[in-house]
Every structure is written in structure tokens, then in C-alpha cells.
């Protein structure tokens, strides 16, 4: 059985999924797993396509000290116990910069170019690239494909793409990229199936999780996003501030004596819901907390989403549909209700029962704008891109190597 392995590596975890390649390029999810607690309390968890548990194993710290070690352990388990022999590996890479506008086969030159964007996505890029390097060293003939969170937004028009800075900086790559593109691309395709009446129209999608952003879709294509040069911009997130006056950064440097690296760490790790609440960066903990600062953080989150919805509605010149997705968007009925209240000005009302049930369509019968909850699937999107590129390159007859 031919399979595609999808890898999404972070600083302390490696998430992976295995997809079986079936007739006419169809994909079926076989395994979903992750190695988390890397360097602290390593644990491998995995389940089969029906959710049946396949593994739940703890490891000593020294056995899984870093991402390459995690890849080795997870790979050995897939190979030795499940006889998984992938024909290719697809990776989520957060920042593709101005050069990469579509998925690409990886070689050492591609990795070198992607390393340049590490400072623009310090929580993600270095960790996305770590398993790629590991596999390049150990299995140089195994096809690897990079799929970029920025690529879906690269068709933005010039007005949406530019900052009001000298053109030379834009030419060097200082521009508005947008992120969560794999999620938005999946949603745009899924809407064709579940909501064809709006799929080709003007749709705002809210990807709300620990990382959060919003995207304006027109005809299934991204025309505007709340995120820009880095994944710090736009909405308040778990630990990131969202929209911030650049003068705040100057103040932190000039008045607080913070170095550039300290400011970077502060903005990526200590702000957002965590900074506002002083309680947690996890929305579930904030919703259960009695601390008034937690309630304020939730109110702020909903308020900024309402403001940015107005901006995206202006970019679209109207709204034909609104979609919630990602962890918070898919699972928190109370947050969806708070946000819907702030969207009442353009005709949004919710069906309380449908919202509580996490139904696909949660808008009320009198809502002028239909509202949907659509679970995202970035891993399937990566697998589809990987398979498509593999087929285009006619790699099925080439040499295959095992991952360990």
C-alpha cells in the first residue's frame, strides 16, 4: 500500500498523519499521532482511522531530547510495527517568503532559502525545518514536499500586499503575507461541497485557535487577511498580541531597555490572551475562570474579531457567508455566540440550539448572512499537495526509502 506521511513539527512536539493512496489519487487517513513533551516528558500517542488507539508510550528524556530524536522514534514505530513505507513526506512550513507561491519539492537549496525566514516565524520555521534536514541526511532519495502557510495568500492584489514604506523594502520581501493559508485553502474547497451557494461568493473565514487570524475569500481565493509580515499581526492570540502600534516596540527598546531578541520573545510568548488575563493562554481555562481579567481577555478577543470582520467586509464590499474553524472556532459555542453578537450589524443571527450542537450551519432562519462551522484539515491539504506534486514529477517509479 502506497502512503504519504505528513509532518507538522513544533518546538516540543511532532504531529504526524499517514494517508493511504487509493485509486485515481484519492487519499484515506490511516493513522494520526504525535510525539509530544520532547525534552521534558516524551510521549508517543497515535490512533487509527476509526479512532482506535494504536500507541500510548512514555519515553525517558534522554531518548527523545529533540525533534530529530522524536522523528527517529516515531519513524521506527511506523516502520517496524506497522510496516509503513511512505513514498513521500509532506511538511507544513509556515513562511515561504516572496519566492515560494506553491508547494515545492525539497532539496538542500530550498532549505537554505527557507532558513532566511526563521526570524519572521521564530516559533515555527526552525522547528518546521528540523525534520526536513533529518530526512535529507538519512534518506536523500525520499521525496519531501514543503507546503506553505503563506502560499494561499500570494495572489493578493498590490494594495493588500504593500505596507506604506519605501518600495525597496517591499522588493526585499517586507510585505503582507498572511498565514494559516493551508487551513483557508481547505475551507474554500470544502465550501463547494457543503455550501455551494456561497462558495463562489464573498466569505469571511475565522481561523480561531492558539494562533488566530481571519481571511476574506472571494470566488474561493484569498483577497485579504488579518495577518501580515509575521504571524504576530491581526487578532489577539494565545500568547501573541495581534495588531500593535510599532511605537510600542520602540518604547520597549528605548524606555525599557529591552534587546531585539527580548522583544521578540516577549511578543511571541508573553502577550495575547496570556498577557491580558494573567491566567492562561488557553481559551478553555479562561472560560472556566472566575478571574475578571480572564473575562476581559475573552471580551477583547471577541471585540477585535468584530472589528476585523468589518475591515474584511469592506475589502469584499459585502458578505455572503461567515465561517468558524480551528480549535476555538470549531468547539466553543459561547465564543461563537459572543462574536455573532458583534456581527449583528451585517445581519448575523445564530440558532442557539444548532450553535450548542456544533452543527455545520448555525445561523438562524432570519439571518441575512449564513454562518457555518467547518472543521479544518491542514494535514489532508498537505497530503493532497504532496501527492499532486509527486504525480506531476512522475516520481512513483523512482527509488523509495524507509523512514526511521
Amino acid at each position: 500500500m502506497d502512503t504519504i506521511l505528513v509532518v507538522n513539527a513544533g518546538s516540543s512536539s511532532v504531529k504526524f498523519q499517514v494517508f493511504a493512496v487509493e485509486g485515481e489519487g484519492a487519499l484515506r487517513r490511516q493513522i494520526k499521532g504525535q510525539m509530544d513533551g520532547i525534552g521534558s516528558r516524551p510521549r508517543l500517542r497515535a490512533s487509527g482511522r476509526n479512532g482506535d488507539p494504536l500507541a500510548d508510550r512514555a519515553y525517558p528524556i534522554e531518548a527523545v531530547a529533540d525533534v530529530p530524536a522524536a522523528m527517529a522514534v516515531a519513524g521506527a514505530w511506523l516502520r517496524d510495527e506497522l510496516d509503513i513505507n511512505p513514498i513521500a513526506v509532506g511538511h507544513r512550513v509556515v513562511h515561504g517568503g516572496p519566492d515560494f507561491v506553491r508547494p515545492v519539492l525539497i532539496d538542500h537549496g530550498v532549505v537554505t532559502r527557507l532558513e532566511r525566514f526563521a526570524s519572521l516565524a521564530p516559533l515555527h520555521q526552525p522547528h518546521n525545518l528540523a525534520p526536513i534536514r533529518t530526512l535529507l541526511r538519512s534518506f536523500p532519495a525520499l521525496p519531501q514536499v514543503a507546503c506553505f502557510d503563506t502560499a494561499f495568500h500570494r495572489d493578493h492584489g498590490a494594495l493588500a500586499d504593500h505596507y506604506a514604506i519605501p518600495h525597496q523594502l517591499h522588493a526585499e520581501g517586507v510585505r503582507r503575507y498572511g498565514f494559516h493559508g493551508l487551513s483557508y485553502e481547505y475551507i474554500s474547497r470544502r465550501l463547494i461541497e457543503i455550501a455551494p451557494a456561497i462558495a463562489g461568493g464573498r466569505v469571511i473565514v475565522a481561523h480561531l485557535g492558539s494562533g488566530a487570524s481571519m481571511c476574506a475569500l472571494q470566488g474561493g481565493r484569498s483577497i485579504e487577511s488579518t495577518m501580515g509580515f509575521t504571524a504576530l499581526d491581526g487578532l489577539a492570540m494565545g500568547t501573541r498580541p495581534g495588531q500593535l502600534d510599532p511605537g510600542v516596540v520602540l518604547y520597549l527598546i528605548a524606555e525599557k531597555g529591552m534587546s531585539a531578541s527580548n522583544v521578540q520573545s516577549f511578543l511571541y510568548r508573553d502577550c495575547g490572551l496570556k498577557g491580558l488575563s494573567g491566567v492562561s493562554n488557553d481559551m478553555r481555562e479562561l472560560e472556566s475562570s472566575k478571574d475578571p481579567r480572564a473575562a476581559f481577555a475573552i471580551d477583547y478577543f471577541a471585540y477585535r474579531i468584530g472589528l476585523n470582520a468589518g475591515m474584511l467586509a469592506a475589502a469584499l464590499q459585502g458578505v455572503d457567508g461567515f465561517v468558524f474553524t480551528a480549535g476555538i472556532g470549531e468547539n466553543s459555542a459561547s465564543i461563537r455566540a459572543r462574536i455573532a453578537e458583534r456581527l449583528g450589524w451585517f445581519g448575523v443571527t445564530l440558532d442557539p440550539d444548532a450553535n450548542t450542537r456544533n452543527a455545520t450551519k448555525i445561523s438562524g432562519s432570519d439571518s441575512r448572512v449564513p454562518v457555518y462551522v467547518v472543521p479544518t484539515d491542514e494535514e489532508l491539504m498537505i497530503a493532497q499537495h504532496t501527492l499532486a506534486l509527486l504525480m506531476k514529477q512522475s516520481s512513483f517509479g523512482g527509488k523509495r526509502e524507509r523512514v526511521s
Side-chain angles (χ1 to χ4, degrees):
M1 176 180 62
D2 286 334
T3 56
I4 301 288
L5 174 64
V6 172
V7 175
N8 183 357
S11 59
S12 61
S13 69
V14 174
K15 299 178 182 178
F16 61 90
Q17 294 193 23
V18 176
F19 292 83
V21 181
E22 301 185 329
E24 299 183 0
L27 291 163
R28 181 160 52 94
R29 198 183 328 265
Q30 294 286 96
I31 299 168
K32 181 178 182 179
Q34 69 179 52
M35 174 70 79
D36 54 23
I38 296 172
S40 57
R41 291 182 293 178
R43 195 173 199 92
L44 172 66
R45 296 182 176 91
S47 58
R49 68 172 182 263
N50 297 318
D52 47 310
L54 297 177
D56 187 355
R57 304 174 184 177
Y59 296 85
I61 295 175
E62 60 273 14
V64 190
D66 53 23
V67 168
M71 285 290 295
V73 170
W77 174 73
L78 288 170
R79 178 200 65 202
D80 298 338
E81 299 189 32
L82 301 181
D83 196 27
I84 298 297
N85 181 24
I87 59 174
V89 182
H91 298 267
R92 179 194 179 207
V93 178
V94 166
H95 214 305
D99 301 334
F100 295 102
V101 298
R102 60 185 59 85
V104 63
L105 277 171
I106 297 169
D107 57 25
H108 290 285
V110 168
V111 173
T112 298
R113 291 165 70 187
L114 292 175
E115 286 172 342
R116 295 183 302 168
F117 308 122
S119 64
L120 305 186
L123 293 187
H124 304 93
Q125 198 85 349
H127 310 299
N128 297 159
L129 297 180
I132 293 173
R133 292 194 197 92
T134 298
L135 292 176
L136 275 175
R137 283 194 303 269
S138 302
F139 306 96
L142 178 67
Q144 296 190 76
V145 175
C147 300
F148 305 101
D149 262 346
T150 51
F152 186 62
H153 304 292
R154 296 314 304 134
D155 287 335
H156 281 181
L159 294 178
D161 195 52
H162 278 66
Y163 288 110
I165 56 177
H167 178 74
Q168 179 58 36
L169 286 170
H170 180 270
E172 293 173 7
V174 183
R175 58 184 71 180
R176 299 188 69 248
Y177 290 101
F179 298 87
H180 297 130
L182 291 163
S183 176
Y184 294 126
E185 184 178 10
Y186 176 81
I187 298 299
S188 72
R189 296 187 183 188
R190 187 78 175 105
L191 286 177
I192 297 172
E193 302 173 8
I194 65 174
I198 67 168
R202 303 163 298 181
V203 180
I204 296 174
V205 184
H207 177 108
L208 307 178
S210 179
S213 69
M214 298 168 71
C215 177
L217 298 178
Q218 189 161 30
R221 300 175 67 183
S222 171
I223 68 162
E224 184 59 272
S225 171
T226 58
M227 280 184 168
F229 183 52
T230 71
L232 286 170
D233 201 9
L235 307 178
M237 292 163 261
T239 61
R240 288 169 269 170
Q243 183 181 9
L244 192 71
D245 184 335
V248 175
V249 176
L250 299 178
Y251 175 83
L252 294 175
I253 295 171
E255 300 297 327
K256 293 296 184 179
M258 295 176 70
S259 66
S261 61
N262 286 339
V263 170
Q264 176 176 280
S265 178
F266 173 74
L267 294 178
Y268 276 99
R269 302 179 186 279
D270 296 323
C271 296
L273 299 177
K274 176 184 176 182
L276 277 174
S277 69
V279 174
S280 175
N281 65 323
D282 190 317
M283 182 61 76
R284 293 165 296 187
E285 294 184 19
L286 296 180
E287 288 191 276
S288 64
S289 175
K290 302 299 183 182
D291 193 313
R293 296 176 300 168
F296 179 78
I298 294 172
D299 287 342
Y300 183 91
F301 184 71
Y303 173 67
R304 302 303 298 190
I305 291 169
L307 287 182
N308 281 271
M311 176 192 75
L312 296 179
L316 291 167
Q317 293 291 284
V319 182
D320 300 315
F322 192 97
V323 177
F324 290 100
T325 193
I328 298 170
E330 294 170 23
N331 297 298
S332 178
S334 64
I335 295 298
R336 292 196 299 262
R338 285 172 179 261
I339 293 168
E341 288 180 6
R342 296 194 171 275
L343 304 181
W345 64 273
F346 61 67
V348 166
T349 63
L350 294 190
D351 177 329
D353 179 62
N355 185 41
T356 300
R357 290 187 289 106
N358 292 331
T360 299
K361 187 175 183 181
I362 61 172
S363 46
S365 59
D366 60 339
S367 184
R368 295 199 302 271
V369 175
V371 181
Y372 293 85
V373 178
V374 182
T376 193
D377 198 336
E378 294 158 299
E379 289 79 14
L380 177 59
M381 202 74 254
I382 293 169
Q384 289 175 345
H385 281 308
T386 300
L387 181 59
L389 191 55
L390 206 61
M391 294 174 70
K392 183 178 179 181
Q393 297 291 326
S394 300
S395 297
F396 283 99
K399 181 180 178 181
R400 301 177 188 175
E401 296 200 15
R402 290 181 177 270
V403 181
S404 63

